Amino acid sequence: MSGSRPIDLPAGVTIPEGAGGSSSWKTVRTVLQHAYIWIWLVIFVIPFLATLVYSFESPKGGYSLEAYDFVKGAFLENLVYSLELTLMAIIGNLLISIPAAYAIVRHNVPGKRLILSTLNVSLYAPAAVMGLSLLITYAYLLDFMPLTHSTWGLLAAYVVGTFPLMLLPIIVALRDMPMVYQEAAHTLGASRAQSLFRIELPLLGPGIGAGILMTFVIVFNEFLVTLFIAGPENQTAALRVYGLTRTAGFSQSTAAAAATMQLVSFVVVLVFFKLVGSRYLKGTYFA
Amino acid sequence: MSRVQLISVAKRYGDTVAVRDFTADIADGEFVTLLGPSGCGKTTTLRMVAGLVDPSSGYILFDDQVMNRVPTNKRNIGLAFQSHALFPHMSVAKNIAFGLTMKRRPKAEIRNKVEEMLDLIEMTGYGDRMPAQLSGGQQQRVALARMLATDPRVLLFDEPLSALDRNLRDTLKYSILELQRRTKKTAIYVTHDQSEAFAISDRIFVMNQGRVEQAGSQLDIYLRPATEFVANFVGDNNAISGVIESIASLPDGQRTARVKAGTFELQGYAPDTLDVGDEVLAFVRPENIEVVGQNTQQQADGLVSGMVEQIVFEGPTVRLNVDCDGVLLNVSASGVERLTLLDKGEKRVTLRFRDVSLVKQ
Ligand SMILES: Nc1ncnc2c1ncn2[C@@H]1O[C@H](COP(=O)(O)OP(=O)(O)OP(=O)(O)O)[C@@H](O)[C@H]1O
Ligand SMILES: [Mg+2]
């Protein structure tokens, strides 16, 4: 701001006191507003912090990282399995939701409304009902494919349970995306696929990103439906933590496993917003 | 670099007929405009040429090849949209390069082309900007560069300037014309703005309710409207109804007719379709009615007198509403003499008509 001079107001001009009161009151108000937000944030993270602190407590007194030996050892396998399942569920959801969103938004599918409201059933069905229904279904299907107690069975359960979370934000994003970008791409010589991958999917990024994030958060932490379907071979991280609380009790290693799960979710969400969030949420027409 | 033909092209949406029986032969390098009011089918016609809309019937030909089944991305056209339609997630350079990238041209060639295009639109150095960081006029110029970069055979424009302010519209429409002249590409330009159409076209197609009302040069459309619609749509014409009393042929082949309209008579161009005794509408443009006298009673052939009801000073012109025995005329006077019309007081003026065109009623 070099070169700026104070502006002289004509004589007789007065500056009224702001309606918000004096500046000191403004400062107080700002501090209170910030404090309010922070208090809530702290309340939200207290359970997590408690678990974290507990996991560092050594049975011999003092603090140590001993409990995390278990996380690096046996529990790592469960974590990796959960992450693999989550990744596959995300891919499955994408493969279903992107074509489905196009069909629903861009074509006149008969019974569109009915389809859309039925889709949400899996979102508000209680997990226990869901788990039971899937078990029954898998029992019927047993002769064709053994889904119970298998990775594929779990995956199918997750996809059925969460793909509306992927589909809905993509539908919203697709509705908001003007046809003109696609048409411009075609006039410039882009094929259907080129337009899809270069223009449409990047522009649908925020919707797809929201779907990926929600799928991740739900599937990675899913417990109840998993309990119904998983066999001894399918120990997800959430299932293992639950199992530990029953066998090992509230030991430090249980807390360490739980805290690690939380941390993974937290880091993934954070990294997502850092990378994908900024890239997609900025440069698009949503900005 | 293509001749574009439309042969009886029509488009129906259920019961609505968006375009009916559109036939046109657009020469290589010609600049034609589709002009008409909102909803008359201009965009639909253009999008059929682009392949974004399938015609219900008829044929679209580029250089004697039927294009109907050829998808948009294989037609090698350039289309400028009303909203510039720049890809918001790509930089200016990436936008301009898009068409060539799709054609998998070598990197170096693409880079050179982008630079060349940026120079062409006088936006050298803007390559790294995002579209959202440009002004409306710059965005539209980048859209033009993007469309020219692939060297299309036909240029299509769908009201590309309508979102811009007036000054920008005026400069950009001449930029478009210049780009077209320089590249010698066939162009079809859609607009509802007649001054735009008159400024840049070789030929104008005036459309109404899906139909071509008249196709011709600016002068044809302006001075010799073929239908009542064209006469009314183009300029704010005076329409006077009357009956043809006689017709004479001029040495140059044109025919002029004497028309009796209420208490006065006037002369106008008569197309071959008109005969003595026909009821016609005589159209005269406000600037083609000349004020030849004030507060005098001249009675001569071809002169009409009337009372001035309203005078509006518009700067370069003075607009008069004149009542000629019940016929209300809109007169636009220019030149220095117009200022004498501004004197206060009741006025009787004597008028002379020029360039009267006749349309069957
Ligand atoms: N996809 C569609 N479905 C149904 N009717 C349509 C469709 N597209 C256009 N129409 C109708 O076809 C007619 C012509 O539309 P078009 O868009 O070609 O008009 P236009 O001359 O470009 O008008 P404007 O100057 O407002 O852009 C209109 O009556 C419009 O309602
Ligand atoms: Mg239009």
Side-chain angles (χ1 to χ4, degrees):
Chain A
M1 293 298 279
S2 65
S4 73
R5 283 180 291 125
I7 300 163
D8 296 322
L9 285 171
V13 174
T14 57
I15 301 173
E17 283 294 310
S22 68
S23 66
S24 61
W25 167 236
K26 254 185 205 155
T27 321
V28 172
R29 207 171 52 176
T30 314
V31 168
L32 283 178
Q33 281 169 347
H34 289 190
Y36 181 78
I37 295 166
W38 277 104
I39 286 169
W40 278 111
L41 274 178
V42 168
I43 289 176
F44 279 127
V45 297
I46 275 179
F48 169 63
L49 285 179
T51 316
L52 197 63
V53 170
Y54 183 66
S55 73
F56 291 136
E57 277 176 15
S58 171
K60 295 161 242 146
Y63 292 94
S64 79
L65 284 174
E66 254 172 58
Y68 285 85
D69 288 342
F70 165 69
V71 173
K72 282 184 284 182
F75 188 63
L76 190 64
E77 203 177 299
N78 309 107
L79 264 182
V80 169
Y81 184 57
S82 271
L83 286 171
E84 283 170 356
L85 271 174
T86 309
L87 187 67
M88 287 195 286
I90 288 172
I91 293 171
N93 279 354
L94 281 171
L95 291 180
I96 292 176
S97 301
I98 292 173
Y102 270 89
I104 287 169
V105 175
R106 291 285 162 83
H107 302 280
N108 250 328
V109 185
K112 202 190 267 190
R113 277 169 187 281
L114 186 70
I115 296 177
L116 277 177
S117 42
T118 321
L119 283 181
N120 295 330
V121 165
S122 59
L123 292 184
Y124 52 69
V129 174
M130 188 81 187
L132 188 63
S133 322
L134 283 168
L135 264 192
I136 296 170
T137 313
Y138 288 180
Y140 277 120
L141 292 175
L142 195 59
D143 292 341
F144 309 103
M145 43 184 164
L147 284 172
T148 328
H149 295 200
S150 78
T151 297
W152 292 112
L154 270 183
L155 191 62
Y158 293 151
V159 168
V160 167
T162 61
F163 87 90
L165 287 175
M166 182 75 90
L167 182 60
L168 292 177
I170 296 180
I171 285 179
V172 172
L174 192 57
R175 279 205 184 123
D176 283 349
M177 185 176 75
M179 276 294 277
V180 73
Y181 295 123
Q182 206 173 318
E183 292 174 347
H186 290 316
T187 64
L188 292 165
S191 65
R192 187 74 202 82
Q194 283 174 320
S195 161
L196 183 71
F197 286 104
R198 305 273 188 144
I199 305 297
E200 296 160 54
L201 291 186
L203 290 179
L204 294 175
I208 294 174
I212 291 179
L213 196 62
M214 288 205 263
T215 307
F216 173 84
V217 169
I218 302 275
V219 172
F220 183 70
N221 298 306
E222 214 300 318
F223 164 66
L224 204 50
V225 173
T226 317
L227 192 61
F228 275 86
I229 292 169
E233 302 289 288
N234 312 119
Q235 288 297 302
T236 65
L239 217 51
R240 187 69 192 272
V241 170
Y242 173 71
L244 283 173
T245 56
R246 310 214 317 170
T247 54
F250 295 110
S251 68
Q252 266 71 29
S253 52
T254 315
T260 306
M261 265 192 81
Q262 269 283 0
L263 217 60
V264 168
S265 290
F266 185 66
V267 167
V268 166
V269 172
L270 216 65
V271 166
F272 177 87
F273 276 114
K274 200 85 193 142
L275 292 181
V276 187
S278 63
R279 176 159 163 230
Y280 282 127
L281 298 178
K282 271 182 199 158
T284 74
Y285 54 91
F286 295 90
Chain B
M1 283 154 276
S2 265
R3 171 186 181 197
V4 177
Q5 284 168 277
L6 287 83
I7 302 175
S8 295
V9 173
K11 179 65 189 179
R12 287 174 289 276
Y13 291 107
D15 291 339
T16 3
V17 185
V19 176
R20 61 188 86 204
D21 198 25
F22 198 124
T23 296
D25 188 347
I26 302 163
D28 188 8
E30 196 180 6
F31 197 124
V32 303
T33 302
L34 309 183
L35 174 67
S38 185
C40 70
K42 308 181 293 289
T43 296
T44 307
T45 308
L46 197 75
R47 291 168 68 86
M48 287 194 282
V49 176
L52 295 170
V53 168
D54 280 332
S56 307
S57 58
Y59 294 99
I60 289 163
L61 279 65
F62 289 0
D63 287 330
D64 296 321
Q65 278 186 310
V66 175
M67 285 287 128
N68 289 43
R69 295 264 148 249
V70 179
T72 302
N73 58 326
K74 297 268 160 57
R75 287 195 190 191
N76 196 12
I77 45 130
L79 175 54
F81 296 85
Q82 185 167 357
S83 61
H84 52 81
L86 291 178
F87 305 127
H89 58 301
M90 292 182 182
S91 67
V92 165
K94 288 252 170 61
N95 263 283
I96 297 176
F98 185 80
L100 295 173
T101 314
M102 294 302 101
K103 294 196 169 117
R104 304 209 161 78
R105 311 298 309 179
K107 282 236 159 49
E109 181 195 327
I110 295 180
R111 211 171 325 116
N112 290 338
K113 193 75 190 178
V114 169
E115 286 308 316
E116 184 193 324
M117 286 295 137
L118 284 171
D119 290 347
L120 185 72
I121 56 168
E122 288 164 13
M123 284 181 63
T124 318
Y126 280 75
D128 291 332
R129 295 260 195 119
M130 295 304 277
Q133 298 168 316
L134 301 178
S135 74
Q138 291 171 333
Q139 288 170 338
Q140 202 51 266
R141 267 150 61 202
V142 174
L144 292 177
R146 180 177 72 175
M147 132 183 185
L148 289 170
T150 52
D151 197 22
R153 59 209 294 211
V154 182
L155 305 177
L156 306 171
F157 302 88
D158 191 359
E159 312 209 25
L161 308 180
S162 60
L164 305 175
D165 71 49
R166 205 191 147 128
N167 283 336
L168 212 48
R169 270 210 309 267
D170 284 343
T171 36
L172 267 180
K173 78 183 171 204
Y174 293 112
S175 311
I176 288 178
L177 182 62
E178 209 215 300
L179 287 177
Q180 187 265 347
R181 290 282 183 257
R182 203 176 329 158
T183 53
K184 299 186 178 66
K185 289 180 193 298
T186 314
I188 307 178
Y189 191 100
V190 160
T191 181
H192 63 257
D193 179 342
Q194 28 172 314
S195 65
E196 217 166 277
F198 282 119
I200 58 182
S201 323
D202 294 322
R203 198 146 55 106
I204 299 174
F205 287 71
V206 183
M207 292 182 72
N208 180 35
Q209 298 187 346
R211 202 191 311 271
V212 177
E213 292 266 342
Q214 186 176 0
S217 70
Q218 289 99 318
L219 283 186
D220 282 338
I221 304 285
Y222 198 72
L223 296 178
R224 290 176 283 280
T227 66
E228 190 178 340
F229 172 82
V230 176
N232 278 321
F233 181 72
V234 179
D236 45 354
N237 250 326
N238 292 293
I240 308 157
S241 76
V243 178
I244 296 185
E245 290 198 313
S246 65
I247 294 182
S249 284
L250 297 179
D252 63 358
Q254 297 249 23
R255 305 186 332 149
T256 66
R258 278 186 87 79
V259 177
K260 177 121 184 82
T263 59
F264 54 90
E265 287 191 338
L266 35 79
Q267 295 219 348
Y269 304 109
D272 294 341
T273 49
L274 292 179
D275 267 320
V276 175
D278 281 349
E279 289 195 5
V280 291
L281 278 175
F283 288 99
V284 204
R285 300 199 169 279
E287 72 272 21
N288 287 338
I289 303 178
E290 189 186 355
V291 180
V292 293
Q294 288 184 54
N295 299 323
T296 53
Q297 279 285 3
Q298 297 178 25
Q299 282 297 349
D301 211 26
L303 296 184
V304 179
S305 90
M307 293 301 297
V308 176
E309 302 217 310
Q310 200 190 13
I311 301 185
V312 179
F313 182 59
E314 291 180 333
T317 57
V318 170
R319 200 159 270 269
L320 309 173
N321 285 342
V322 182
D323 184 345
C324 298
D325 291 329
V327 179
L328 269 185
L329 293 177
N330 201 342
V331 178
S332 172
S334 56
V336 275
E337 312 88 76
R338 76 186 186 283
L339 300 175
T340 63
L341 291 164
L342 295 172
D343 303 337
K344 295 269 177 329
E346 205 189 50
K347 259 199 234 8
R348 175 164 274 280
V349 287
T350 307
L351 307 172
R352 179 166 38 219
F353 298 129
R354 279 181 291 131
D355 286 326
V356 178
S357 55
L358 304 175
V359 172
K360 198 163 186 156
Q361 218 170 350

